[in-house]
Structures are given as structure tokens and as C-alpha cells.
Amino acid sequence: MSVLTPARMRPRDVLRTGGAGLRSRPLRVFLSALGIAIGIAAMIGVVGISASSQEDLNRRLEALGTNLLTVSPGQSLFGESSQLPEEAEGMIGQIGPVTAVTATGATPAKVYRNDHVPEAESGAIAVTAARLDLLRDVGAAVTAGAWLNEATHRYPATVLGAKAADRLGVVRPGPDQRVWLGGQWFTVVGVLGPVPLAPELDTAALVGWPVAEERLGFDGYATTVYARAEEAYVVQVRDVLAATANPQQPNEVEVSRPSDVLAAKQATDAALNALLLGLGGVALLVGGVGVANTMVISVLERRAEIGLRRSLGATRGQIRAQFLAESLLLSAIGGVGGVLLGIGVTAAYAGLRGWPAIVPGWAMLGGVAATLVIGGAAGFYPAVRAARMSPTEALATP
């Protein structure tokens, strides 16, 4: 006497059966998958935007160089402003690994759009004396006009930083473009682009060192010295800069590395990214609840189908696999859709900011894997509940 055994369902049969269950409720499936997709898209978007921003920063630092160091006067033990020695630039230039040295000096002058602007409305624009090699050493560039040269740095001519030009309403420098600087007219010969490693130059009106001493009451002391060092020796040079610039009072010298400021800003953004990732996780959890709700309702609505399949020989394991497959398929649809949506958001935002669009592969794979885990967890109870129904109970339910 032979015993009948239930036919085994192959994996593709399980998937086909699960897909048929989803196709019978398209609107509910769409809404549940949308909840999953929003959570995954939020997480992919945060990771992608953060990675794109980091890549943009790395490229900018690679172009600008991370070997720029700045030296400026600090404060004395009594809290008074100190001063760099006149020989500071020359002494810094004697350090072996230092490849370039330049400087700027603060002047007491103010700059205005014209001679009718009230004295108090200077727009927070500093008038700064500059060496002729400043642009090369700090990685700045002129976007309009020209930089100071051997002729113009001795005469009333100025080059405006990007923000300074905007505040003064200067668009096109030239012989007819003048500003009221230090109680006299200065011709605007150039406008700089933004200077990431020396943002103080963005709000400055730069004039030649000689004309600043002759006409603007400049004392000739450098207030910021910029030094470029060989990449391999940046840390060692930074350690000796203070003592080299001011051997008598090295404690009154401040040394910084501008690229560290940009990196610190990126680290600060990471805190916000963690918060956004948390919000994405909450959205993903809500999506998982939606999947669970959909599957529970599906079990309740399809009790007659479950009873009929059990009566025809389907085992509890096959019923459980069918509903678990539906849950996993539903989550996978939401996960893949969320990854694509997150990639789109990243590409659009990066494009608007002029960044390279970067979405790490681990984030995309992790997003899909997370949805499958959530789908499995959300569908486990409904699948077990469906499998526990007896054929007579399920068929008797209206």
C-alpha cells in the first residue's frame, strides 16, 4: 500500500505563487512598498550625499593642496594683542622643507562704494596689504581683471575678494571702476574668486604693500604669514613655525593648517548625517509595519484559499513559504525602488551643488538586504498564522 506524499514546491513555484498573491492587491502592495521605499531612499540619499560631499572636498583639497600653513600673532600673557617680528617671513623661509612664503597685513583703512556712504557702513570689509606672490601661494585665482603687479602695487589700485566685490556692487573691474578707500579713490583692477584655504581674503580689499605704507597708515608688520611646505614634512614644519617666527615669544604665535578647518566642517556634517540616518531608519521601520499589516490582512481575507489549498494537500510548510515569499517580494520591490529613488536624489542634489555623484556600493546592497530582513520579520507571524489554520476552519469561514 503506497502513501501519497504532497508534491514539493520548487523555489520558482514559491515565487510565482507569492507574486500571484501580490498581483491580486496592487494598490495595497504599492502603498506598502512605498513605505519601504521612502525609508531606504532616505538612508541611501543621506549616505550618497555625504559621500558626494566628501569626494568633492577631497578633490578640492587635492587641487588646493593640504600643505598650506598660516602664522598669525596671538595674545600675550596679559591678554594684549601681540605682533609678529619684521623678520618673521624671512626666518620662516629659512626652514628647509618650506617651499614658499607670503604675507598679508591689516591696515586701519576702511573701504566704501563712494565718498557719500556713512563711515559706520563699511560692510565689514578689511583693507589688507598683500605681497605680489599671495595668489600663487594660497591657491587663489582672479575671475575678472588682473592681479597687482610691480607697477600697480605702488599706486592706488585694489583687488577685491569675492564677497567684498559683491558688497561693494563691483561687477567689472577697470579704469573707470573706483572705490573710496582710506579717504581717497582707488581703482579696482581685479576681483578674486572664492579662496577656500584663506576665506579671510573673500571679504578683503587687497592693496600693494608699498602703497599701504605710504598712504593708508600701514605699519608694515605682517598679520598673517602663509607658508607652503613639502607634503611629507608638514607636521614637522608646523611644530617649529611658532618658535621660528618669533623666537623671543613663541607662545604669542598662532599656527594653523587651513585644510584642517575644511575637514572639521566635514566631520561636523557627519553628526547631522547620523540624525538623518536615524530618521531614515524610523521611516524604514514604519514601512515594515505597513508590510506586516498588509500580510495580516491578506491572511484574513484569503482564509478560504488557504483552506482549499490545505484540502488539496498543501502542507503547513508550503503555506508558510507562500506567505513568507509574498512578504519578501513586497519588501524587495520597495527596497529596489528605494535604492533607485535614493540614487536619483543623490544625483540631483550633487548636480545642483556641482559635486561628483557618489553612492557607495555597500549602501545599495545594504539597503536591499535591510528590506529583506524587515520583510522576513514582518511576514513571519502572518505566515505562521496562515500555516496553523486547519482546512475545515479555513473553509468554514465566510
Side-chain angles (χ1 to χ4, degrees):
M1 180 179 178
S2 61
V3 180
L4 294 176
T5 58
R8 297 184 62 184
M9 294 181 66
R10 291 171 294 182
R12 68 178 182 180
D13 296 327
V14 175
L15 292 177
R16 186 168 58 249
T17 305
L22 296 181
R23 288 194 296 271
S24 65
R25 306 177 312 282
L27 181 59
R28 188 181 300 162
V29 167
F30 171 76
L31 294 176
S32 297
L34 182 61
I36 289 284
I38 290 174
I40 291 297
M43 300 178 74
I44 294 293
V46 169
V47 173
I49 290 172
S50 176
S52 299
S53 174
Q54 182 66 54
E55 180 63 20
D56 176 68
L57 174 63
N58 292 339
R59 291 186 182 185
R60 283 196 296 155
L61 289 179
E62 184 178 351
L64 296 170
T66 59
N67 62 337
L68 180 66
L69 298 167
T70 63
V71 179
S72 56
Q75 293 183 331
S76 67
L77 294 176
F78 302 100
E80 299 175 348
S81 297
S82 58
Q83 194 174 58
L84 292 176
E86 291 184 4
E87 304 82 8
E89 289 178 72
M91 292 188 293
I92 291 173
Q94 296 300 314
I95 301 175
V98 171
T99 58
V101 180
T102 189
T104 58
T107 75
K110 301 292 183 182
V111 60
Y112 305 91
R113 182 67 184 86
N114 54 57
D115 54 350
H116 300 296
V117 178
E119 185 177 350
E121 298 179 9
S122 63
I125 301 173
V127 177
T128 304
R131 301 294 190 190
L132 293 181
D133 54 1
L134 177 67
L135 295 196
R136 180 195 64 199
D137 292 348
V138 301
V142 176
T143 58
W147 176 240
L148 300 171
N149 55 41
E150 289 291 346
T152 55
H153 84 138
R154 298 181 178 277
Y155 295 96
T158 181
V159 175
L160 302 177
K163 292 182 180 179
D166 182 64
R167 293 175 188 176
L168 292 172
V170 174
V171 179
R172 295 182 179 178
D176 298 328
Q177 183 66 69
R178 300 188 302 170
V179 291
W180 188 249
L181 192 155
Q184 53 196 296
W185 291 107
F186 270 62
T187 301
V188 180
V189 298
V191 174
L192 299 182
V195 189
L197 293 182
E200 63 275 8
L201 301 181
D202 293 342
T203 54
L206 301 165
V207 299
W209 208 277
V211 73
E213 292 180 310
E214 294 171 6
R215 301 194 179 200
L216 303 178
F218 176 47
D219 58 12
Y221 286 93
T223 50
T224 303
V225 177
Y226 302 92
R228 289 275 185 182
E230 295 178 17
E231 291 283 354
Y233 300 98
V234 172
V235 175
Q236 291 89 330
V237 171
R238 181 171 58 181
D239 291 341
V240 301
L241 269 180
T244 303
N246 191 347
Q248 301 299 322
Q249 288 90 25
N251 59 300
E252 297 180 6
V253 178
E254 294 183 355
V255 179
S256 64
R257 188 177 182 182
S259 58
D260 289 344
V261 177
L262 296 179
K265 181 180 180 299
Q266 189 71 27
T268 302
D269 292 342
L272 178 60
N273 291 340
L275 174 61
L276 295 177
L277 281 174
L279 294 176
V282 172
L284 190 59
L285 180 60
V286 172
V289 172
V291 172
N293 181 62
T294 296
M295 296 310 300
V296 169
I297 294 176
S298 177
V299 170
L300 295 176
E301 290 179 343
R302 297 161 64 192
R303 283 177 290 190
E305 174 193 336
I306 295 169
L308 180 59
R309 291 197 63 208
R310 289 297 309 279
S311 299
L312 294 175
T315 65
R316 289 186 175 183
Q318 291 173 342
I319 296 296
R320 186 165 52 245
Q322 174 190 347
F323 281 89
L324 194 56
E326 286 188 27
S327 178
L328 291 173
L329 284 173
L330 177 57
S331 298
I333 292 171
V336 173
V339 168
L340 295 176
L341 181 59
I343 293 173
V345 169
T346 299
Y349 188 83
L352 289 174
R353 300 296 297 269
W355 299 343
I358 304 293
V359 179
W362 64 264
M364 293 184 285
L365 294 177
V368 175
T371 60
L372 294 178
V373 171
I374 288 179
F380 180 75
Y381 170 72
V384 171
R385 180 173 178 175
R388 286 178 177 175
M389 286 186 179
S390 65
T392 53
E393 176 191 354
L395 289 171
T397 303

